[in-house]
Amino acid sequence: MDSKSLLAPPAPIRTSVTLLLVSSHPDSPSTDLEDLSPSSTSPDHSPLSLHVPLSPTAKSLGGDTLRSRAESFNSTAETSRSRANSFNSRAETARSRGNSDLTTLRSRFEGDDWTTEEALRPGKTNAKDFEVDDNPFAFSPGQLNKTLNPKSLAAYRALGGILGLEKGLQTDLVAGLSVDETSIPEKVSFEEATSPTGSKKPLDARRIIAQDAIVTDREVKGQFQDRKRVFKDNRLPAKKAVSIWRLFWNAYNDRVLIILTAAAVISLALGIYEAVGQTPAPGEGQSLDWVEGLAIMVAIVIVVLVTGVNDYRREKQFTALNAKKDDRQVKAIRSGKSVMISVFDVMVGDILHLESGDSVPADGVLISGHGVRCDESSATGESDAMKKTGGSEVWQRMIEGTATSKLDPFIISGSKVLEGVGTYLVTSVGVNSSFGKIMMGIQTENEETPLQAKLARMANWIGVLGTSAAGLLFFILLFRFVAGLSGNTDSPAKRGQTFLDILIVAITIIVVAVPEGLPVAVTLALSFATKKMFKENNLVRHLRACETMGNATTICSDKTGTLTQNKMTVVAGLLGTEINFARDLDMNDDDDDTNVLTLPSAFRKMSSTVRNLLLQSVAINSTAFEGEEDGKATYLGSKTETALLTMAKEFLGMGPVAEERAGVEVVQLFPFDSDRKCMGVVIRLGSGSYRLLVKGAAEIMLNHATQELANVSEESLDTVVLSESASNRVAANIEDFATQSLRTIAMLYRDYPQWPPAEASNLEGDRSMAQFEDVFDDMVFLGVVGIQDPLRDGVAYSVKRCQDAGITVRMVTGDNITTASAIARQCGILTGKHVMEGPKFRQLSDDEMDAILPNLQVLARSSPEDKRILVSRLKHLGETVAVTGDGTNDGPALKMADVGFSMGIAGTEVAKEASAIILMDDNFSSIVKAVMWGRSVNDAVSKFLQFQITVNITAVILAFISAVASKEMHSVLSAVQLLWVNLIMDTFAALALATDAPTEKILDRKPTPKRAPLITTNMWKMIIGQAIYQLLVTFVLYFAGYNILGYNDNCLPKYLTQSYLEDCPNLSGLALQTCQVATCSDTMHTELNTMVFNTFVWMQIFNEFNNRRLDNKLNIFEGVLKNYFFIGINCIMVAGQIMIIFVGGKAFQIKRIDGVQWAVCILCALPCLLWAVVLRCIPDKYAAMVFGFVARLWMAVARPIMRILSIVFTPVGKGWAKLSRHVFSPAKRFSRRTAGKVWKKKSADEMVRGKGDAPAADVEAGDASELRHVAPPKTPPQQQQQQASAGFGLQPPPITLTTAS
């Protein structure tokens, strides 16, 4: 049959597929279906994907042959037809089913009887996706999406199969897109793409693209512009950023601030009325009470503006971080070469590589592959691993009539490749992809970290205490105000203003007492730390990991690539059991052994047959391939495999890998499995027999070898039994290589006359595939190589720093115990003999594990399950565990660990998604940086907490006592002054204290235990000590300042100036003198209050320096010049305070002070630095004893009071509960039922209207499934249950793949 006929689509009909049972009459011609197999037409295959043999053809069943419609296209047999429009038929056609003796069988897959129009019919919700102006491609995004949502073989057939997609998307299944493509000059119609006469050659008829073909390195202007215009790029529209105006509103939308605003507005109104609507009394000037209300409103605006700008800056930082987190590299084929491109640059028509551990970036159709199975649970909810079939084979099966709904060539974005390798054609990207449609509705918000949650709870408690103090103050002042109303001669407006002043002071105390800056401080510290960590090769995916890493107590690290450079080179080996070789003969420790050869000499001793066998073991049994990295040709894939390929290229004469693989038919592939520590491949030989090639961990391979080559120098592959002495000699070489820190890889093979072997069990669902365990036996030993992977620079120092920081470093590796021990000693991890192998470790009981774990330093020959068990037991022992992983199977351990580190270079996408932090350089030293920044975040929060609680205690107590003691019931700190203090506390201090970069000294202390309190004994010592000093100074100034500063002496000579004459206009004599004395007294009082306020603020500025240290060391200025944020913020606070004192005036209720008064303020505030030195000299244990005594004393006093309050208020509470249960609850239930009935009726009406608008013919499976991506405005519970049963309820995956920055 001509290859073009392979593209002929089965005749589209509306009835079920009719299969013919034709009698096996000897005269009846039969069509040999074997001729349809592309595998029999050409030995050439795609150089960039492994050849997939087609499925077995239909065989004779009891003399009758099961035929499909496609088989009758060119048939000369007498055939009965169910349709008159049969193709190329010369047979008589029976028009009537009633006159036919044929048996009609049921359709083999859903939609088999659909026409092209039916298969590609637009849905009601996506009709616009089918309309593209000036489309040079044969298909629209909507037509391509019909293959999915749900998966549709009918749509795949209507699009012409894999070759129809190739032509319609103007791409090449072998060479991929051209890097020089800009616009598409020629348009391809739908009919041209799907027509059998206009299609391209089958894959196996293509010529091999040379791997050294030139690929344009320069940036192409307007690259893929038509593809981007028609199909979009692989980005989701960025989540609509919260506007700065919305952030301003969020900052203002605080209940306390709103109440304060209302009070300020009323105060402003009363002040304006008093100033404008009333005539001042004789001797009094114009009322300026309105200034306070205006000043409060301005202060609120400033607080809101600063908070909003701060939040806006934080949002920008996290948006940039998320963009970096979502970007990754994928392997694509462009212009015939394998290249790494950004996931955002994937285009429709691209050819992408698939391998185990990949996360699929876009929808598509599998071109070819081996054993590809995908986990689509995150995209479709299907929990089973879905086996994928190549698009060519699916098309072939359609032609043969053997296609069933189980065939699945569709690759869904967001799914994970569990096993296998292959290539696939991208058909939908970005918003048009399945995953994109889901993610459009569920773009995630920034997460709340445990520390933020813990601090939010603490902030609530502090707020409750502060609110209680403010409420108590309000009622005390209110009682005094009401009690004095009878003798109050002030005007009603004045009395109203006095009441408002009381209310405003109480509310302002609440504003100050509520530490809303605590969670903000965590966010600022995290945003600053994550940005800095990214520059140091730590990409933080989950913010909680940043703070948790600071308290890590153990690190379970991989060896390869993390502790070593992952630059592997074959430096020694053994061919057969006799020929030793080494790249550097000095590596041989035995000076008497003269049999060690150089690599070229050793390989020259091999016959061409053995050399080809070794070459097959290296080149065919490998998933690495040729590509480009940093503009240079190289091998891409596992570093172990690339080292072997490099050896083969240098010493075995290997050409391009694609050419080596093109002439070999791969029958079955066994991907690398971390449990069995090996990988294998089965190839068909020219003689018709089959060869199994296996390579893996040397000592495991040796256990499965029972034979060896008789002579590697002979052309014949004669084998002999592997003797015990030969086996011991190989084992000794493996041990010798391991002591030199070499990774040992052995190669085995075995020939079989048939595949699968008769004695082997088959894979479930595929009889052509054998179980690996059944064939991996009686192998022939071919050789072993030792691969060197040098230690990374600075690893030993980094391990030592971790150990100094109280962090235990453990090596968890798949290498044998000798190699692992040698590397661990070089790193400084192994200090004794605390080494164990995984198989022994997993056999221990939980108690036995718990007993040895504190001393275990190396776990060799471990599997991912061993790593998971290790992490689980360490966490059970109370450890905070960080673990590294790079493989798909490492996912459970990475998820279970407190902090999972994946490898940015060598890690699979599954491992990266399971991790919390990605090491972009795969370097252990970067983990140490993460520890430092994690501790820095925790320290920043503790510093801010210590600072803010000190200010809270001082400000609330000072305002409370001064207001109660004042005759005017005014606090020494006015409302505007308290708002300025609140701004210092919640914003400026958070910025200043959250931006200290960590130093090496941060690793000189032990980790903080998980259950340690937020406020340590040392912090309480500093908080209470500083609060005592600040209250003592401010109370002395406030209550004794008149006497100390001489204000009670003769006032008039000092203050009798022109300004006071202006304050007492039109007065003379005694009236003038009385007015001047009163004015002088008010001025002195205001000046003294100004000094108290000024001293208080300066004490906070100086105390901010004290809080830069959390330990008892005295150098509080260490590294301060490196923190430009701290310097800048303090300059702003100092400048703001000076400006307030000089120009604040009536707004802040202050008076400008002179130089002597400034000196008094500074000299009173400055000693808080010296007082901190005294506090640090007090041992923490003595402070703990004092705090414990005070706490017990407090409980002794508070417990009886609480009991009395409980006795008094318990009946009240019970009465309220009964009232609520019998009165309020029934009313609430009634209103809820009423609203529910109205809502259900409205929803039902909407459903009826929606159904009435659409014709019944338009309701099809495809349309219904597409509704899963459209969130209805409201869905009744009954409809939710129906949707869940129909598979509508999709659980979104935990990651975002393609979110644009």
Side-chain angles (χ1 to χ4, degrees), residues 33 123 226 498 605 807 883 949:
L33 299 183
D226 273 345
T498 303
K605 279 182 169 288
I807 303 172
V883 65
I949 293 180

Side-chain angles (χ1 to χ4, degrees), residues 78-376:
E78 186 176 4
T79 310
S80 294
R81 302 295 181 101
S82 61
R83 286 283 186 262
N85 57 344
S86 58
F87 299 122
N88 300 326
S89 174
R90 288 175 291 175
E92 296 180 3
T93 305
R95 303 284 182 177
S96 172
R97 288 184 180 272
N99 299 328
S100 175
D101 294 331
L102 304 176
T103 302
T104 301
L105 300 183
R106 192 174 181 179
S107 173
R108 287 182 173 270
F109 60 87
E110 184 178 0
D112 189 23
D113 57 346
W114 290 355
T115 64
T116 299
E117 180 182 2
E118 289 174 325
L120 301 179
R121 175 182 295 165
K124 293 181 295 183
T125 61
N126 63 349
K128 62 180 181 180
D129 294 338
F130 290 76
E131 301 172 0
V132 179
D133 296 332
D134 191 22
N135 187 359
F137 303 98
F139 312 121
S140 65
Q143 290 173 324
L144 294 173
N145 283 339
K146 292 297 288 186
T147 58
L148 300 170
N149 305 320
K151 299 174 185 177
S152 172
L153 289 175
Y156 177 69
R157 180 184 62 190
L159 295 174
I162 190 69
L163 298 183
L165 288 169
E166 177 189 28
K167 182 162 187 178
L169 297 178
Q170 303 206 37
T171 183
D172 191 291
L173 297 182
V174 173
L177 296 178
S178 170
V179 295
D180 294 318
E181 177 189 315
T182 53
S183 58
I184 305 295
E186 298 181 3
K187 181 177 180 180
V188 177
S189 67
F190 182 89
E191 292 74 17
E192 290 173 338
T194 57
S195 170
T197 59
S199 299
K200 293 186 177 183
K201 297 180 181 179
L203 286 180
D204 52 355
R206 313 285 178 85
R207 67 180 182 86
I208 296 174
I209 303 296
Q211 287 297 296
D212 57 355
I214 298 176
V215 179
T216 303
D217 289 330
R218 62 182 172 82
E219 183 178 351
V220 179
K221 185 177 181 180
Q223 188 180 42
F224 304 126
Q225 60 183 19
D226 273 345
R227 290 187 189 275
K228 292 179 181 179
R229 177 178 59 83
V230 175
F231 302 113
K232 312 301 181 187
D233 57 10
N234 200 30
R235 298 172 186 265
L236 296 181
K239 183 185 70 173
K240 187 176 181 181
V242 181
S243 69
I244 193 168
W245 304 109
R246 180 67 183 178
L247 291 173
F248 288 151
W249 170 249
N250 291 342
Y252 176 72
N253 197 16
D254 178 84
R255 187 180 304 170
V256 178
L257 281 182
I258 293 174
I259 295 174
L260 186 60
T261 303
V265 169
I266 296 174
S267 175
L268 177 63
L270 286 176
I272 293 175
Y273 170 75
E274 198 173 348
V276 177
Q278 291 189 339
T279 303
E284 294 184 2
Q286 191 72 30
S287 174
L288 297 176
D289 289 342
W290 59 271
V291 174
E292 183 180 11
L294 180 62
I296 293 173
M297 295 173 65
V298 171
I300 292 173
V301 170
I302 293 174
V303 169
V304 169
L305 288 177
V306 172
T307 306
V309 170
N310 198 18
D311 290 342
Y312 183 74
R313 175 177 168 272
R314 182 190 63 193
E315 288 287 331
K316 284 292 186 182
Q317 286 183 340
F318 282 120
T319 299
L321 174 65
N322 286 332
K324 294 171 185 173
K325 178 179 70 177
D326 297 332
D327 193 10
R328 57 189 172 93
Q329 297 290 303
V330 295
K331 304 183 186 89
I333 302 171
R334 288 189 175 173
S335 295
K337 299 191 73 174
S338 295
V339 294
M340 303 296 291
I341 63 173
S342 168
V343 70
F344 296 144
D345 295 333
V346 173
M347 296 285 127
V348 169
D350 258 323
I351 309 300
L352 299 185
H353 285 283
L354 289 176
E355 59 184 68
S356 177
D358 281 351
S359 180
V360 178
D363 292 339
V365 176
L366 183 68
I367 300 172
S368 62
H370 276 275
V372 178
R373 291 179 180 270
C374 295
D375 174 13
E376 298 177 351

Side-chain angles (χ1 to χ4, degrees), residues 1074-1148:
T1074 302
C1075 175
Q1076 287 178 332
V1077 170
T1079 303
C1080 178
S1081 178
D1082 290 343
T1083 301
M1084 289 189 298
H1085 182 72
T1086 303
E1087 283 188 359
L1088 187 60
N1089 287 352
T1090 301
M1091 292 179 66
V1092 173
F1093 164 64
N1094 196 29
T1095 303
F1096 178 79
V1097 172
W1098 278 98
M1099 282 191 292
Q1100 310 317 317
I1101 294 174
F1102 291 136
N1103 192 41
E1104 192 178 6
F1105 285 86
N1106 286 329
N1107 289 300
R1108 292 189 70 247
R1109 291 203 80 104
L1110 293 171
D1111 52 23
N1112 287 322
K1113 296 182 180 179
L1114 303 181
N1115 186 6
I1116 61 175
F1117 300 103
E1118 182 179 1
V1120 68
L1121 296 179
K1122 296 179 181 178
N1123 189 345
Y1124 300 114
F1125 266 105
F1126 186 88
I1127 296 173
I1129 292 297
N1130 276 275
C1131 289
I1132 292 174
M1133 289 194 295
V1134 169
Q1137 181 63 19
I1138 294 174
M1139 186 177 67
I1140 287 171
I1141 297 300
F1142 276 92
V1143 299
K1146 279 287 185 180
F1148 282 82

Side-chain angles (χ1 to χ4, degrees), residues 788-810:
Q788 185 182 57
D789 187 12
L791 277 183
R792 286 184 179 273
D793 295 335
V795 161
Y797 174 75
S798 298
V799 170
K800 180 67 167 57
R801 293 301 290 134
C802 284
Q803 292 169 344
D804 293 341
I807 303 172
T808 302
V809 182
R810 294 176 170 87

Side-chain angles (χ1 to χ4, degrees), residues 571-572 582-590 736 740 742 788:
V571 296
R583 185 178 292 267
D584 184 359
L585 295 182
D586 293 338
M587 294 187 63
N588 181 35
D589 295 332
D590 190 353
D736 180 55
Q740 300 176 54
L742 302 183
Q788 185 182 57

Side-chain angles (χ1 to χ4, degrees), residues 427-507:
T427 58
S428 296
V429 296
V431 295
N432 294 318
S433 67
S434 303
F435 191 65
K437 291 178 182 294
I438 297 174
M439 295 308 298
M440 284 296 292
I442 59 170
Q443 290 176 326
T444 56
E445 301 291 335
N446 291 327
E447 59 184 329
E448 184 181 52
T449 70
L451 187 57
Q452 284 176 318
K454 193 182 294 186
L455 285 174
R457 290 193 294 270
M458 173 174 280
N460 288 337
W461 279 105
I462 297 174
V464 168
L465 294 176
T467 304
S468 301
L472 181 61
L473 174 64
F474 174 75
F475 284 112
I476 290 175
L477 298 182
L478 180 63
F479 292 153
R480 286 180 56 186
F481 172 74
V482 172
L485 280 178
S486 58
N488 194 332
T489 58
D490 292 336
S491 65
K494 193 75 173 178
R495 289 197 296 269
Q497 185 66 51
T498 303
F499 172 78
L500 278 177
D501 288 344
I502 295 172
L503 179 64
I504 287 173
V505 169
I507 295 173

